[in-house]
Amino acid sequence: MKIKSIVLIGAVLSVFVAAATAQNRTGSPSPFTVHDLDHDGMLDHYEYGRMFSRWKQHRLHTGKPEFSDIDEDADGYITEEELIKTLNRQLRLQRRVRARERRWSSDEAY
């Protein structure tokens, strides 16, 4: 289901964004750094696919945003900033979907 996918992706995104923010304060590696295998500060197609494969193994997501949707400058690499920006957009979408679901549920109760 599309709504379930959005909710699951949103959960993953919120964990990723929280961990990336915590990394800035603690100095421990961020999820982005862990998946940046060549440590060049960017994810290529292989690293991006591998990141989502791992998330799928842990059942943290059911769908994967297209690489080209995240790679805003179309240079063939995803920077941490591009990924976080996309994840934040997905999280906002998930919150809107949840708000709508609650509204529809309360409407049905009447």
Side-chain angles (χ1 to χ4, degrees), residues 38-55:
D38 58 5
H39 305 290
D40 64 352
M42 299 178 282
L43 298 180
D44 58 26
H45 284 276
Y46 173 76
E47 293 165 331
Y48 177 71
R50 188 176 159 143
M51 176 181 72
F52 269 93
S53 292
R54 287 203 174 159
W55 286 3

Side-chain angles (χ1 to χ4, degrees), residues 5-23:
S5 295
I6 292 171
V7 171
L8 288 172
I9 289 171
V12 170
L13 302 178
S14 62
V15 168
F16 184 90
V17 171
T21 304
Q23 183 271 334

Side-chain angles (χ1 to χ4, degrees), residues 3-22 31-32 48 51-52 55 59-66 70 80 82-96 98:
I3 292 177
K4 287 182 181 180
S5 295
I6 292 171
V7 171
L8 288 172
I9 289 171
V12 170
L13 302 178
S14 62
V15 168
F16 184 90
V17 171
T21 304
F32 185 89
Y48 177 71
M51 176 181 72
F52 269 93
W55 286 3
R59 298 182 181 161
L60 296 174
H61 84 98
T62 57
K64 169 172 112 171
E66 290 295 321
I70 300 171
E80 187 170 9
E82 289 172 328
L83 183 60
I84 288 174
K85 193 175 188 180
T86 299
L87 296 177
N88 280 328
R89 272 195 307 261
Q90 293 278 340
L91 187 58
R92 284 191 298 272
L93 174 62
Q94 179 226 10
R95 287 178 178 156
R96 277 185 264 157
R98 281 186 172 171

Side-chain angles (χ1 to χ4, degrees), residues 18-36:
T21 304
Q23 183 271 334
N24 292 334
R25 290 187 296 242
T26 64
S28 61
S30 73
F32 185 89
T33 304
V34 169
H35 296 290
D36 181 15

